[in-house]
Amino acid sequence: MKFDNPRMRSAVDLAVQERFDREVLRKPFHSSAGRVDYLRSLLGRHFAGHADRPTPAALRRALRADRPDRTQRGILYTLFGGMRFLEFRDLVHMGGLPIYDLARALRHSGARPVTVIRWLNQFASPDHPRSADRRGPRRCVRP
């Protein structure tokens, strides 16, 4: 089953995962003691009424999974589909999720929130110079 909702697509693409592969982006920004409490409140807001609400540990595993299974992708899709931008930012700061893992989880979820993608892309490293078009510097030619 492919998770695809036209309302969750955007014209802005998330940078490739390799561009987020830096040491500083693989570590949490803050060491927060309330991570489990934050994840529990996030689950309470976005999975209210779900009979099979995931636990904070299951959410953490889904967010950190290299290759999430179908259930984990469903958790991510449901969560990211209802989150506002500030909740993504808080997930990084208060939830202790590294930017690298958030970018990977967002890619696996199928959700494409434009504001979040633009925010994440600012952390991505620039393209390697060898991959750029090598036409040389532009010169002003006077007649």
Side-chain angles (χ1 to χ4, degrees):
M1 178 177 172
K2 184 176 181 179
F3 298 102
D4 188 26
N5 184 341
R7 293 184 345 192
M8 296 172 108
R9 284 190 229 139
S10 73
V12 179
D13 290 328
L14 186 62
V16 294
Q17 192 64 31
E18 291 78 28
R19 291 180 58 192
F20 293 100
D21 195 6
R22 295 185 302 180
E23 183 179 343
V24 70
L25 298 180
R26 284 185 168 264
K27 294 187 293 188
F29 283 157
H30 302 287
S31 59
S32 173
R35 290 180 183 171
V36 173
D37 292 335
Y38 178 74
L39 294 179
R40 188 173 292 123
S41 70
L42 195 64
L43 288 169
R45 285 191 304 266
H46 295 284
F47 287 86
H50 285 241
D52 54 348
R53 179 188 305 183
T55 63
L59 174 60
R60 187 113 181 120
R61 282 191 303 273
L63 289 168
R64 305 287 308 254
D66 285 329
R67 294 177 183 237
D69 60 16
R70 183 178 176 172
T71 304
Q72 291 173 330
R73 284 192 317 268
I75 291 170
L76 294 175
Y77 184 79
T78 304
L79 179 69
F80 291 159
M83 284 176 68
R84 297 171 304 170
F85 171 72
L86 294 177
E87 291 175 312
F88 281 96
R89 191 194 64 189
D90 289 345
L91 185 59
V92 170
H93 291 286
M94 293 172 25
L97 186 69
I99 293 287
Y100 179 85
D101 292 335
L102 178 59
R104 182 180 56 213
L106 189 62
R107 182 172 284 108
H108 288 305
S109 73
R112 299 289 181 250
V114 176
T115 308
V116 176
I117 290 174
R118 287 184 178 153
W119 177 68
L120 284 173
N121 282 345
Q122 76 178 351
F123 295 105
S125 63
D127 286 334
H128 196 276
R130 281 188 242 141
S131 66
D133 189 13
R134 303 287 251 156
R135 289 186 229 159
R138 295 184 184 258
R139 297 181 187 168
C140 181
V141 179
R142 295 184 185 192

XYZ file of all heavy atoms in Angstrom, residues 1-98:
798
model
N 0.844 -1.167 0.000
C 0.000 0.000 0.000
C 0.890 1.231 0.000
O 1.770 1.374 0.826
C -0.876 -0.020 1.240
C -1.759 1.161 1.382
S -2.774 0.899 2.845
C -3.529 2.462 2.935
N 0.644 2.133 -0.924
C 1.423 3.354 -1.006
C 0.633 4.476 -0.358
O -0.543 4.661 -0.631
C 1.729 3.688 -2.458
C 2.606 4.880 -2.603
C 2.967 5.108 -4.035
C 3.868 6.325 -4.104
N 4.295 6.622 -5.426
N 1.302 5.214 0.523
C 0.666 6.338 1.178
C 0.865 7.553 0.284
O 1.952 8.073 0.161
C 1.293 6.582 2.549
C 1.121 5.424 3.482
C 2.158 4.555 3.723
C -0.093 5.198 4.103
C 2.000 3.490 4.573
C -0.255 4.137 4.953
C 0.778 3.277 5.190
N -0.206 7.997 -0.351
C -0.103 9.144 -1.235
C -1.394 9.939 -1.158
O -2.459 9.428 -1.458
C 0.167 8.692 -2.663
C 0.473 9.857 -3.588
O 0.944 10.891 -3.088
O 0.236 9.720 -4.790
N -1.261 11.159 -0.737
C -2.401 12.043 -0.637
C -2.055 13.307 -1.409
O -1.047 13.944 -1.106
C -2.669 12.365 0.832
C -3.909 13.213 1.031
O -4.388 13.852 0.101
N -4.409 13.220 2.246
N -2.829 13.698 -2.408
C -2.498 14.880 -3.208
C -2.357 16.144 -2.371
O -1.593 17.026 -2.713
C -3.668 15.009 -4.179
C -4.390 13.734 -4.137
C -4.042 13.046 -2.865
N -3.084 16.246 -1.270
C -2.978 17.436 -0.429
C -1.636 17.506 0.288
O -1.249 18.562 0.766
C -4.089 17.443 0.616
C -5.450 17.604 0.032
C -6.490 17.696 1.094
N -5.990 17.260 2.399
C -6.734 17.024 3.432
N -8.008 17.190 3.369
N -6.223 16.624 4.567
N -0.932 16.403 0.394
C 0.329 16.379 1.131
C 1.535 16.435 0.202
O 2.653 16.300 0.647
C 0.387 15.142 2.017
C -0.675 15.160 3.078
S -0.738 13.629 3.922
C -0.046 14.089 5.467
N 1.320 16.642 -1.074
C 2.430 16.779 -2.016
C 2.836 18.233 -2.110
O 2.051 19.126 -1.834
C 2.025 16.287 -3.396
C 1.973 14.800 -3.500
C 1.798 14.417 -4.947
N 0.711 13.453 -5.013
C -0.215 13.440 -5.922
N -0.240 14.324 -6.876
N -1.151 12.533 -5.900
N 4.049 18.471 -2.537
C 4.483 19.845 -2.724
C 5.421 19.923 -3.912
O 5.967 18.936 -4.366
C 5.189 20.363 -1.479
O 6.459 19.774 -1.353
N 5.599 21.136 -4.399
C 6.518 21.365 -5.504
C 7.958 21.448 -5.011
O 8.888 21.409 -5.795
C 6.146 22.652 -6.228
N 8.142 21.565 -3.714
C 9.473 21.647 -3.122
C 9.907 20.238 -2.748
O 9.180 19.509 -2.085
C 9.451 22.545 -1.867
C 10.817 22.623 -1.242
C 8.924 23.912 -2.202
N 11.100 19.852 -3.196
C 11.606 18.517 -2.892
C 12.577 18.571 -1.722
O 13.365 19.508 -1.595
C 12.331 17.931 -4.107
C 11.368 17.594 -5.235
O 10.213 17.236 -4.924
O 11.767 17.688 -6.397
N 12.531 17.547 -0.920
C 13.481 17.409 0.174
C 14.838 17.033 -0.408
O 14.920 16.206 -1.322
C 12.994 16.323 1.138
C 13.769 16.117 2.419
C 13.730 17.374 3.274
C 13.177 14.953 3.197
N 15.890 17.647 0.094
C 17.238 17.346 -0.383
C 17.533 15.865 -0.163
O 16.959 15.223 0.730
C 18.255 18.202 0.346
N 18.431 15.318 -0.961
C 18.775 13.900 -0.830
C 19.379 13.647 0.546
O 20.011 14.526 1.143
C 19.733 13.442 -1.952
C 19.058 13.503 -3.299
C 20.990 14.258 -1.949
N 19.193 12.448 1.039
C 19.593 12.116 2.407
C 21.093 12.304 2.646
O 21.506 12.670 3.738
C 19.173 10.675 2.735
C 19.269 10.324 4.185
C 18.320 11.126 5.065
O 17.244 11.520 4.644
N 18.721 11.375 6.291
N 21.917 12.075 1.645
C 23.367 12.202 1.803
C 23.769 13.632 2.175
O 24.793 13.841 2.806
C 24.101 11.787 0.529
C 24.024 10.309 0.214
C 22.688 9.912 -0.410
O 22.043 10.766 -1.074
O 22.286 8.758 -0.222
N 22.972 14.606 1.782
C 23.293 15.996 2.104
C 23.036 16.324 3.569
O 23.504 17.326 4.081
C 22.507 16.930 1.194
C 23.014 16.844 -0.250
C 22.287 17.738 -1.193
N 22.359 19.127 -0.784
C 21.608 20.085 -1.312
N 20.752 19.787 -2.268
N 21.712 21.319 -0.904
N 22.294 15.459 4.260
C 22.059 15.633 5.697
C 23.052 14.819 6.530
O 22.980 14.828 7.741
C 20.631 15.206 6.062
C 19.576 16.089 5.498
C 18.878 15.720 4.361
C 19.272 17.303 6.082
C 17.894 16.520 3.823
C 18.289 18.124 5.558
C 17.602 17.738 4.423
N 23.933 14.099 5.875
C 24.849 13.186 6.561
C 26.096 13.925 7.051
O 27.164 13.835 6.469
C 25.234 12.038 5.629
C 25.871 10.887 6.394
O 25.889 10.948 7.641
O 26.335 9.947 5.747
N 25.905 14.676 8.126
C 27.001 15.363 8.791
C 26.911 15.051 10.263
O 25.824 14.801 10.799
C 26.918 16.879 8.573
C 27.104 17.262 7.123
C 27.128 18.745 6.964
N 25.889 19.324 7.482
C 25.618 20.614 7.480
N 26.484 21.461 7.026
N 24.473 21.067 7.935
N 28.039 15.063 10.928
C 28.081 14.680 12.336
C 27.151 15.537 13.194
O 26.448 15.038 14.057
C 29.512 14.788 12.856
C 29.663 14.338 14.286
C 31.096 14.441 14.763
O 32.007 14.553 13.944
O 31.278 14.411 15.988
N 27.138 16.828 12.948
C 26.325 17.728 13.754
C 24.824 17.472 13.559
O 24.033 17.692 14.483
C 26.685 19.203 13.457
C 26.231 19.615 12.071
C 26.128 20.123 14.514
N 24.416 16.978 12.406
C 23.000 16.714 12.150
C 22.571 15.321 12.590
O 21.378 15.015 12.594
C 22.685 16.897 10.661
C 22.904 18.296 10.101
C 22.555 18.326 8.620
C 22.098 19.320 10.863
N 23.508 14.485 12.960
C 23.180 13.134 13.433
C 23.005 13.086 14.952
O 22.591 12.072 15.493
C 24.261 12.142 13.018
C 24.165 11.773 11.550
C 25.192 10.700 11.243
N 24.954 10.116 9.951
C 24.282 8.988 9.744
N 23.776 8.339 10.749
N 24.121 8.526 8.537
N 23.342 14.178 15.632
C 23.205 14.237 17.086
C 22.021 15.119 17.460
O 21.718 16.074 16.742
C 24.469 14.824 17.721
C 25.684 13.957 17.552
C 26.854 14.484 18.338
C 27.345 15.795 17.783
N 28.592 16.257 18.383
N 21.366 14.820 18.585
C 20.289 15.705 19.051
C 20.854 17.076 19.401
O 21.986 17.198 19.860
C 19.753 15.011 20.299
C 20.288 13.635 20.272
C 21.515 13.641 19.433
N 20.064 18.120 19.174
C 20.517 19.475 19.477
C 20.623 19.720 20.973
O 21.522 20.381 21.440
C 19.574 20.506 18.865
C 19.759 20.699 17.395
C 18.738 21.204 16.636
C 20.931 20.378 16.757
C 18.872 21.409 15.270
C 21.100 20.559 15.402
C 20.063 21.084 14.654
N 19.654 19.204 21.731
C 19.630 19.419 23.171
C 19.459 18.082 23.871
O 18.824 17.179 23.353
C 18.448 20.313 23.569
C 18.469 21.641 22.899
N 19.350 22.623 23.242
C 17.713 22.154 21.899
C 19.147 23.687 22.483
N 18.153 23.416 21.660
N 20.035 17.969 25.047
C 19.772 16.784 25.852
C 18.604 17.135 26.763
O 18.751 17.869 27.727
C 21.007 16.384 26.657
O 21.394 17.452 27.491
N 17.450 16.652 26.406
C 16.232 16.984 27.123
C 15.779 15.803 27.972
O 15.765 14.672 27.515
C 15.135 17.349 26.114
O 13.916 17.507 26.771
N 15.404 16.099 29.207
C 14.944 15.044 30.104
C 13.494 14.668 29.840
O 13.053 13.592 30.192
C 15.109 15.482 31.554
N 12.723 15.538 29.184
C 11.299 15.302 28.981
C 10.949 14.713 27.634
O 9.849 14.932 27.142
N 11.870 13.974 27.013
C 11.610 13.438 25.672
C 10.410 12.508 25.634
O 9.575 12.609 24.753
C 12.833 12.691 25.154
C 13.965 13.589 24.835
C 15.145 12.824 24.334
N 16.245 13.739 24.110
C 17.458 13.367 23.835
N 17.759 12.093 23.741
N 18.400 14.258 23.645
N 10.329 11.589 26.578
C 9.219 10.628 26.582
C 7.906 11.362 26.820
O 6.891 11.056 26.185
C 9.448 9.532 27.640
C 8.237 8.627 27.769
C 10.679 8.716 27.295
N 7.904 12.344 27.715
C 6.687 13.111 27.967
C 6.257 13.879 26.723
O 5.072 13.968 26.421
C 6.897 14.092 29.122
C 7.079 13.382 30.447
O 6.588 12.246 30.578
O 7.716 13.963 31.340
N 7.221 14.440 25.985
C 6.875 15.165 24.766
C 6.301 14.207 23.723
O 5.293 14.516 23.085
C 8.074 15.904 24.188
C 7.706 16.599 22.906
C 6.932 17.747 22.929
C 8.053 16.070 21.673
C 6.524 18.364 21.760
C 7.657 16.687 20.498
C 6.903 17.827 20.550
O 6.492 18.429 19.386
N 6.928 13.044 23.547
C 6.410 12.072 22.574
C 5.021 11.588 22.974
O 4.151 11.407 22.122
C 7.378 10.891 22.438
C 8.735 11.207 21.825
C 9.597 9.952 21.787
C 8.597 11.804 20.448
N 4.799 11.411 24.267
C 3.481 10.970 24.741
C 2.424 12.041 24.440
O 1.322 11.728 23.993
C 3.550 10.688 26.245
C 2.295 10.037 26.787
C 2.435 9.613 28.236
N 3.388 8.517 28.328
C 4.488 8.549 29.086
N 4.769 9.598 29.814
N 5.305 7.511 29.131
N 2.769 13.318 24.641
C 1.792 14.373 24.358
C 1.547 14.509 22.851
O 0.437 14.789 22.418
C 2.253 15.710 24.943
O 3.365 16.209 24.251
N 2.586 14.299 22.059
C 2.443 14.335 20.605
C 1.527 13.215 20.127
O 0.652 13.431 19.282
C 3.824 14.208 19.963
C 3.979 14.560 18.497
C 3.674 16.038 18.275
C 5.391 14.258 18.039
N 1.706 12.026 20.689
C 0.830 10.902 20.339
C -0.607 11.161 20.781
O -1.549 10.808 20.074
C 1.350 9.616 20.983
C 2.618 9.036 20.379
C 3.174 7.934 21.265
C 2.349 8.523 18.987
N -0.769 11.784 21.939
C -2.110 12.098 22.422
C -2.839 13.066 21.510
O -4.050 12.943 21.300
N -2.122 14.032 20.947
C -2.748 15.015 20.055
C -3.083 14.428 18.691
O -4.129 14.731 18.122
C -1.811 16.210 19.865
C -1.752 17.127 21.043
C -1.036 18.427 20.711
N 0.308 18.253 20.195
C 1.409 18.279 20.934
N 1.319 18.445 22.235
N 2.601 18.144 20.391
N -2.201 13.607 18.145
C -2.370 13.164 16.764
C -2.957 11.765 16.605
O -3.295 11.370 15.496
C -1.037 13.266 16.019
C -0.586 14.675 15.888
N -1.145 15.546 14.987
C 0.332 15.390 16.587
C -0.570 16.733 15.109
N 0.323 16.668 16.076
N -3.037 11.015 17.687
C -3.630 9.680 17.615
C -4.824 9.549 18.555
O -5.168 8.448 18.964
C -2.577 8.613 17.948
C -1.569 8.408 16.849
C -0.434 9.209 16.778
C -1.752 7.444 15.886
C 0.491 9.039 15.769
C -0.833 7.270 14.871
C 0.290 8.069 14.810
N -5.449 10.661 18.885
C -6.629 10.630 19.745
C -7.737 9.860 19.044
O -8.035 10.091 17.878
C -7.093 12.041 20.069
N -8.318 8.914 19.736
C -9.399 8.125 19.170
C -8.948 6.888 18.422
O -9.774 6.079 18.023
N -7.648 6.711 18.217
C -7.157 5.513 17.543
C -7.151 4.356 18.541
O -6.651 4.482 19.652
C -5.722 5.729 17.030
C -5.649 6.594 15.821
N -5.147 6.145 14.631
C -6.020 7.871 15.605
C -5.201 7.112 13.740
N -5.733 8.178 14.318
N -7.691 3.243 18.118
C -7.731 2.071 18.999
C -6.346 1.492 19.220
O -6.042 0.969 20.285
C -8.657 1.012 18.407
N -5.495 1.588 18.208
C -4.156 1.003 18.307
C -3.090 2.109 18.338
O -2.162 2.115 17.553
C -3.908 0.040 17.156
C -4.157 0.685 15.796
O -4.731 1.795 15.760
O -3.768 0.079 14.785
N -3.241 3.041 19.281
C -2.300 4.141 19.412
C -0.915 3.601 19.757
O -0.764 2.767 20.642
C -2.753 5.081 20.522
C -1.806 6.245 20.721
C -2.131 7.071 21.928
N -3.497 7.538 21.917
C -4.008 8.327 22.854
N -3.261 8.705 23.861
N -5.248 8.698 22.787
N 0.117 4.044 19.039
C 1.464 3.551 19.339
C 1.984 4.112 20.662
O 1.540 5.160 21.135
C 2.310 4.063 18.168
C 1.544 5.189 17.582
C 0.101 4.938 17.890
N 2.916 3.409 21.244
C 3.570 3.867 22.472
C 4.689 4.842 22.089
O 5.116 4.880 20.935
C 4.172 2.677 23.232
O 5.196 2.083 22.414
C 3.114 1.638 23.583
N 5.175 5.625 23.047
C 6.315 6.494 22.743
C 7.530 5.727 22.227
O 8.243 6.200 21.340
C 6.612 7.181 24.075
C 5.300 7.203 24.784
C 4.628 5.912 24.379
N 7.758 4.516 22.745
C 8.887 3.701 22.270
C 8.680 3.272 20.822
O 9.628 3.279 20.021
C 9.061 2.480 23.168
N 7.439 2.918 20.456
C 7.157 2.533 19.065
C 7.304 3.729 18.131
O 7.815 3.587 17.018
C 5.748 1.950 18.959
N 6.882 4.901 18.590
C 7.061 6.106 17.784
C 8.539 6.410 17.604
O 8.991 6.723 16.508
C 6.352 7.298 18.437
C 6.574 8.646 17.760
C 6.078 8.631 16.321
C 5.892 9.750 18.549
N 9.305 6.290 18.656
C 10.752 6.547 18.579
C 11.413 5.579 17.590
O 12.263 5.976 16.809
C 11.375 6.400 19.965
C 12.789 6.806 20.026
C 12.892 8.039 20.890
N 14.257 8.470 20.954
C 14.635 9.660 20.544
N 13.762 10.491 20.064
N 15.875 10.014 20.632
N 11.018 4.295 17.637
C 11.571 3.315 16.690
C 11.193 3.660 15.251
O 12.009 3.532 14.342
C 11.097 1.904 17.037
C 11.827 1.283 18.202
C 11.513 -0.202 18.336
N 10.097 -0.484 18.477
C 9.441 -0.497 19.633
N 10.081 -0.242 20.752
N 8.152 -0.782 19.670
N 9.955 4.108 15.044
C 9.517 4.481 13.696
C 10.284 5.698 13.194
O 10.658 5.764 12.016
C 8.017 4.767 13.694
N 10.533 6.657 14.068
C 11.263 7.862 13.676
C 12.734 7.577 13.375
O 13.341 8.247 12.548
C 11.169 8.923 14.779
C 9.804 9.586 14.952
C 9.771 10.377 16.253
C 9.479 10.463 13.769
N 13.310 6.580 14.031
C 14.739 6.299 13.866
C 15.022 5.132 12.922
O 16.184 4.802 12.684
C 15.377 5.977 15.225
C 15.215 7.003 16.322
C 16.034 8.253 16.179
N 17.428 8.106 15.955
C 18.387 8.326 16.832
N 18.084 8.661 18.059
N 19.652 8.221 16.494
N 13.996 4.515 12.354
C 14.182 3.317 11.520
C 14.835 3.660 10.187
O 14.463 4.631 9.527
C 12.831 2.645 11.268
N 15.828 2.843 9.803
C 16.460 3.014 8.495
C 15.499 2.606 7.379
O 15.422 3.263 6.349
C 17.732 2.170 8.390
C 18.869 2.765 9.179
O 18.919 4.006 9.313
O 19.711 1.995 9.664
N 14.829 1.493 7.579
C 13.839 1.004 6.620
C 12.573 0.647 7.392
O 12.403 -0.505 7.814
C 14.365 -0.226 5.890
C 15.541 0.092 5.013
C 16.070 -1.162 4.386
N 17.243 -0.851 3.615
C 17.370 -1.120 2.330
N 16.404 -1.727 1.699
N 18.470 -0.808 1.702
N 11.686 1.621 7.559
C 10.480 1.348 8.347
C 9.556 0.350 7.647
O 9.453 0.339 6.420
C 9.813 2.714 8.480
C 10.389 3.550 7.406
C 11.734 2.983 7.073
N 8.928 -0.506 8.455
C 7.969 -1.448 7.889
C 6.636 -0.725 7.642
O 6.515 0.480 7.860
C 7.802 -2.666 8.797
C 7.303 -2.315 10.193
O 6.790 -1.195 10.389
O 7.426 -3.169 11.086
N 5.663 -1.462 7.198
C 4.373 -0.869 6.819
C 3.704 -0.179 8.001
O 3.154 0.920 7.863
C 3.482 -1.967 6.253
C 2.178 -1.469 5.761
C 1.378 -2.591 5.175
N 0.072 -2.096 4.794
C -0.797 -2.784 4.124
N -0.522 -4.002 3.753
N -1.956 -2.276 3.820
N 3.737 -0.794 9.153
C 3.125 -0.209 10.342
C 3.830 1.086 10.731
O 3.177 2.081 11.047
C 3.181 -1.215 11.514
O 2.551 -2.423 11.118
C 2.513 -0.650 12.747
N 5.150 1.081 10.698
C 5.906 2.280 11.048
C 5.661 3.408 10.049
O 5.537 4.565 10.434
C 7.398 1.960 11.134
C 7.738 1.086 12.317
C 9.189 0.622 12.303
O 9.792 0.465 11.247
N 9.733 0.398 13.489
N 5.563 3.074 8.765
C 5.254 4.104 7.766
C 3.861 4.685 7.997
O 3.636 5.881 7.813
C 5.374 3.546 6.349
C 6.799 3.388 5.889
C 6.901 3.124 4.395
N 5.946 2.178 3.866
C 6.130 0.868 3.736
N 7.290 0.339 4.095
N 5.205 0.087 3.237
N 2.923 3.851 8.407
C 1.580 4.338 8.732
C 1.584 5.280 9.923
O 0.883 6.298 9.931
N 2.379 4.956 10.937
C 2.519 5.833 12.100
C 3.087 7.186 11.669
O 2.568 8.240 12.041
C 3.424 5.178 13.166
C 2.733 3.977 13.802
C 3.827 6.190 14.235
C 3.636 3.134 14.679
N 4.132 7.148 10.856
C 4.768 8.389 10.414
C 3.827 9.214 9.550
O 3.758 10.441 9.676
C 6.059 8.078 9.645
C 7.187 7.443 10.456
C 8.344 7.072 9.541
C 7.642 8.363 11.561
N 3.088 8.565 8.664
C 2.163 9.266 7.768
C 1.061 9.949 8.572
O 0.724 11.105 8.333
C 1.578 8.278 6.762
C 0.683 8.914 5.740
C 1.211 9.590 4.649
C -0.703 8.818 5.844
C 0.387 10.163 3.692
C -1.528 9.382 4.894
C -0.972 10.060 3.818
O -1.784 10.624 2.887
N 0.507 9.237 9.530
C -0.549 9.801 10.362
C -0.024 10.954 11.199
O -0.663 12.004 11.303
C -1.150 8.718 11.280
O -1.620 7.632 10.472
C -2.282 9.259 12.120
N 1.144 10.772 11.767
C 1.733 11.807 12.611
C 2.089 13.041 11.796
O 1.657 14.156 12.101
C 2.978 11.263 13.311
C 3.710 12.257 14.216
C 2.866 12.574 15.437
C 5.050 11.689 14.627
N 2.873 12.884 10.744
C 3.352 14.025 9.962
C 2.233 14.699 9.179
O 2.317 15.884 8.882
C 4.464 13.604 9.005
C 5.740 13.220 9.690
C 6.660 12.422 9.046
C 6.035 13.640 10.974
C 7.847 12.068 9.645
C 7.216 13.291 11.595
C 8.130 12.503 10.931
N 1.193 13.952 8.836
C 0.082 14.531 8.099
C -0.714 15.537 8.907
O -1.340 16.431 8.352
N -0.676 15.422 10.222
C -1.444 16.337 11.064
C -0.617 17.342 11.832
O -1.162 18.195 12.524
N 0.695 17.251 11.715
C 1.562 18.145 12.494
C 1.677 19.519 11.849
O 1.672 19.655 10.638
C 2.969 17.539 12.639
C 3.035 16.427 13.638
S 4.661 15.644 13.740
C 5.666 16.923 14.430
N 1.808 20.533 12.701
C 2.102 21.889 12.251
C 3.608 22.094 12.303
O 4.341 21.315 12.908
C 1.413 22.902 13.162
C -0.104 22.789 13.122
C -0.711 23.635 14.181
N -0.125 23.227 15.459
C -0.260 23.863 16.597
N -0.966 24.938 16.645
N 0.298 23.433 17.696
N 4.073 23.161 11.674
C 5.512 23.408 11.603
C 6.163 23.466 12.983
O 7.230 22.887 13.199
C 5.814 24.705 10.841
C 7.250 25.102 10.942
C 8.224 24.389 10.266
C 7.633 26.159 11.742
C 9.555 24.734 10.369
C 8.959 26.514 11.855
C 9.920 25.802 11.165
N 5.542 24.153 13.921
C 6.138 24.289 15.245
C 6.300 22.945 15.942
O 7.227 22.758 16.730
C 5.312 25.243 16.105
C 5.295 26.693 15.622
C 4.394 27.542 16.501
C 6.698 27.265 15.580
N 5.414 22.006 15.636
C 5.547 20.676 16.234
C 6.738 19.925 15.654
O 7.392 19.161 16.361
C 4.257 19.879 16.032
C 3.102 20.421 16.838
C 1.808 19.718 16.546
O 1.471 19.534 15.361
O 1.118 19.344 17.516
N 7.041 20.135 14.362
C 8.245 19.535 13.785
C 9.488 20.103 14.466
O 10.414 19.379 14.798
C 8.318 19.805 12.276
C 7.440 18.919 11.452
C 6.187 19.347 11.053
C 7.861 17.660 11.063
C 5.377 18.533 10.279
C 7.062 16.842 10.288
C 5.816 17.286 9.900
N 9.487 21.413 14.646
C 10.634 22.058 15.295
C 10.779 21.557 16.733
O 11.881 21.264 17.191
C 10.453 23.570 15.268
C 11.711 24.310 15.688
C 11.432 25.728 15.978
N 10.540 25.776 17.135
C 9.955 26.864 17.568
N 10.106 27.985 16.927
N 9.179 26.833 18.626
N 9.671 21.436 17.439
C 9.718 20.937 18.807
C 10.134 19.476 18.873
O 10.739 19.044 19.852
C 8.368 21.116 19.500
C 8.067 22.568 19.806
O 9.002 23.397 19.752
O 6.893 22.874 20.090
N 9.806 18.709 17.843
C 10.234 17.315 17.797
C 11.754 17.226 17.784
O 12.342 16.341 18.387
C 9.643 16.625 16.571
C 9.880 15.130 16.406
C 9.318 14.368 17.594
C 9.238 14.636 15.123
N 12.382 18.175 17.121
C 13.848 18.222 17.095
C 14.386 18.728 18.421
O 15.317 18.145 18.992
C 14.334 19.116 15.924
C 15.819 19.376 16.020
C 13.988 18.465 14.599
N 13.810 19.804 18.950
C 14.354 20.423 20.160
C 13.926 19.721 21.440
O 14.756 19.431 22.288
C 13.963 21.902 20.215
C 14.642 22.712 19.164
N 15.969 23.046 19.228
C 14.188 23.224 18.004
C 16.305 23.742 18.170
N 15.234 23.857 17.394
N 12.639 19.447 21.590
C 12.158 18.847 22.831
C 12.092 17.328 22.754
O 12.221 16.651 23.766
C 10.786 19.411 23.181
C 10.874 20.888 23.524
S 9.323 21.775 23.756
C 8.128 20.615 24.232
N 11.902 16.789 21.564
C 11.813 15.341 21.402
C 13.166 14.679 21.222
O 13.274 13.457 21.274
N 14.201 15.478 20.986
C 15.552 14.931 20.868
C 15.812 14.185 19.570
O 16.707 13.340 19.513
N 15.063 14.470 18.521
C 15.253 13.782 17.245
C 16.256 14.561 16.395
O 16.054 15.737 16.143
C 13.923 13.673 16.498
C 13.956 12.854 15.212
C 14.166 11.377 15.532
C 12.671 13.037 14.437
N 17.344 13.930 15.960
C 18.304 14.628 15.101
C 17.682 15.000 13.752
O 16.768 14.336 13.259
C 19.430 13.608 14.906
C 19.284 12.640 16.028
C 17.811 12.601 16.341
